[in-house]
Amino acid sequence: RNVFDWMKMFAIAPVVDPSYTFLVNIEKHNYDQRNQVLNFYNLLKRNVKPYLDRIEDRPQTYQTAIEKIIEISFFDMESCDFLVREMIGKERMNERIKRSIDKFISQYIDSDDPRNLERHFKSLSEDLRVECAPVFCEQFSKLLSNNRISWKSEYLESMFHLFSQLFTAELDIMKVLVLLSKSRNVDLLLSFPKWSKFALESRNVKADFRTKISTLCEEWYSTIMSAVTNQKNTANPVIFLYQQLSAISFVLQRRTDIYKKLVDTVEQKILNFPQEWSFKATSFVGALESRIVGDFEKVLRQRLKSPLSIDTNDNAVIKIISQICNSSGSPLY
């Protein structure tokens, strides 16, 4: 018996099985080779599609039949093109059919590797990317909230590419940035400035959106400051804090109120750090924006006013001077 004999039922079902109960007995077959899949698709187009089109005026039966075809025909992302273009037709796509396809897409793209998600999205045609974007957005958010993932640079790059393509509405962009700004993962937190800058510079944004980004930058900075200063393996927290302040300078240029608040917070924080950290930071901070350099200089002067310990020898003093004079920014000399 031919495994495709069930296809013949579509021609006679209106007479012998008008309720199409035979659909429940159709089972999905998996194929090892692509040409086998293509052969199956050709058989569906020739033996099933013409009869499906004839029952379109019976919505419930048509929906049930289409859902079964989706179930037995979805093998990979290329199946979307076949189903939408050649079996269903974009003009017949309704919410119920879309949900059925989305269910199988969601199962197929479920992975802890963002590179797979990007690859699957790229495999879709331009118009289907729009149709399938919501299910990819959902998986994207799941990845962003997954605390088990070790975020390698390639993962972060794929996530950024997806962010730039999947999210276009300001409300959706803000939801992603809020999620990113509250991440428990430092590598993800470090991505926030790049993503925020893209969100602001890649489109004409409203003043309200820019204000929200600015406020979010403030919240993000507090989060990453706490995350890093609590880590024992951070090389020099002073350098890191000023580096991240510089990373969001594209926002702080317009929000001097937020900048002042963050600078005051940083100054209070680093005054509790060992003096040596501030001295060693001069060679890095001196290369940042002039406003940041100027504010760091105030902190440095305050630290230099602190009396050296009584047992500080000449070599230690020379070392401090050497650290400061190694700065690449002239305001720190």
Side-chain angles (χ1 to χ4, degrees):
R1 183 183 176 185
N2 193 308
V3 294
F4 300 125
D5 279 349
W6 57 267
M7 292 186 182
K8 299 174 183 177
M9 281 296 299
F10 280 89
I12 60 175
V15 177
V16 301
D17 187 6
S19 297
Y20 285 70
T21 57
F22 73 93
L23 291 172
V24 299
N25 297 315
I26 301 175
E27 296 181 354
K28 180 177 181 177
H29 292 272
N30 291 312
Y31 303 99
D32 298 325
Q33 299 178 2
R34 186 64 190 171
N35 66 318
Q36 293 176 315
V37 174
L38 295 177
N39 179 58
F40 174 61
Y41 285 168
N42 286 329
L43 290 172
L44 283 175
K45 285 191 294 182
R46 186 167 63 249
N47 300 315
V48 176
K49 179 175 168 50
Y51 302 102
L52 276 179
D53 294 345
R54 294 178 189 178
I55 60 171
E56 191 180 357
D57 58 348
R58 298 171 57 192
Q60 186 59 43
T61 303
Y62 177 77
Q63 291 279 166
T64 302
I66 285 295
E67 287 173 358
K68 189 64 177 183
I69 295 301
I70 293 171
E71 177 189 332
I72 64 174
S73 305
F74 194 99
F75 302 104
D76 51 33
M77 294 309 299
E78 291 183 29
S79 301
C80 292
D81 268 308
F82 166 74
L83 287 166
V84 175
R85 296 179 188 279
E86 302 188 50
M87 282 301 293
I88 303 168
K90 291 190 68 175
E91 70 283 357
R92 295 189 181 95
M93 289 288 290
N94 57 38
E95 281 304 310
R96 180 173 165 181
I97 293 175
K98 189 175 183 305
R99 282 197 303 271
S100 182
I101 293 178
D102 284 352
K103 180 182 74 173
F104 288 98
I105 293 176
S106 180
Q107 293 170 357
Y108 185 75
I109 66 176
D110 188 23
S111 166
D112 286 346
D113 189 337
R115 295 172 300 182
N116 290 337
L117 190 64
E118 182 185 15
R119 177 169 51 81
H120 293 323
F121 188 67
K122 284 182 175 179
S123 71
L124 293 170
S125 57
E126 288 292 336
D127 54 337
L128 282 183
R129 288 181 188 180
V130 176
E131 292 284 342
C132 300
V135 69
F136 277 86
C137 289
E138 184 178 346
Q139 179 63 20
F140 178 94
S141 297
K142 281 175 59 179
L143 287 172
L144 209 55
S145 304
N146 191 334
N147 295 318
R148 302 189 311 272
I149 297 177
S150 177
W151 288 95
K152 300 183 288 188
S153 59
E154 313 93 88
Y155 285 13
L156 294 170
E157 200 62 29
S158 286
M159 289 293 279
F160 176 72
H161 291 159
L162 286 164
F163 170 67
S164 65
Q165 297 175 68
L166 286 173
F167 301 92
T168 54
E170 290 184 358
L171 180 61
D172 294 331
I173 292 171
M174 279 303 301
K175 287 180 180 178
V176 171
L177 292 178
V178 167
L179 201 58
L180 186 65
S181 70
K182 295 180 178 179
S183 175
R184 298 179 188 176
N185 185 280
V186 173
D187 292 318
L188 279 178
L189 285 171
L190 288 171
S191 300
F192 176 83
K194 178 181 178 179
W195 293 29
S196 299
K197 189 172 185 179
F198 173 83
L200 287 175
E201 296 182 353
S202 63
R203 68 200 75 232
N204 293 321
V205 298
K206 300 175 183 177
D208 179 58
F209 182 71
R210 188 175 291 277
T211 300
K212 289 178 180 177
I213 293 285
S214 302
T215 303
L216 193 57
C217 281
E218 180 182 359
E219 296 171 1
W220 163 81
Y221 192 80
S222 298
T223 301
I224 198 165
M225 183 165 58
S226 298
V228 171
T229 53
N230 289 334
Q231 284 188 346
K232 295 181 179 180
N233 59 346
T234 303
N236 188 335
V238 175
I239 291 177
F240 184 87
L241 292 178
Y242 279 101
Q243 184 182 40
Q244 299 314 308
L245 196 61
S246 173
I248 54 173
S249 61
F250 64 94
V251 167
L252 301 180
Q253 289 171 356
R254 299 190 181 197
R255 293 296 304 273
T256 54
D257 56 330
I258 294 179
Y259 174 77
K260 181 67 168 61
K261 188 186 298 185
L262 294 182
V263 165
D264 289 344
T265 303
V266 171
E267 290 177 358
Q268 290 302 314
K269 178 73 72 173
I270 65 177
L271 286 176
N272 294 319
F273 292 158
Q275 285 185 332
E276 184 181 2
W277 291 1
S278 296
F279 299 148
K280 287 183 176 180
T282 56
S283 60
F284 175 85
V285 178
L288 300 180
E289 292 83 352
S290 58
R291 180 169 60 168
I292 294 177
V293 171
D295 287 313
F296 177 70
E297 182 183 3
K298 296 175 187 176
V299 177
L300 197 60
R301 290 182 185 278
Q302 188 173 351
R303 305 236 66 171
L304 288 171
K305 288 179 182 178
S306 302
L308 298 174
S309 61
I310 195 167
D311 59 346
T312 302
N313 56 38
D314 290 344
N315 288 336
V317 174
I318 292 173
K319 182 179 179 182
I320 291 172
I321 294 173
S322 174
Q323 289 167 349
I324 296 174
C325 291
N326 190 36
S327 171
S328 57
S330 56
L332 298 182
Y333 281 111

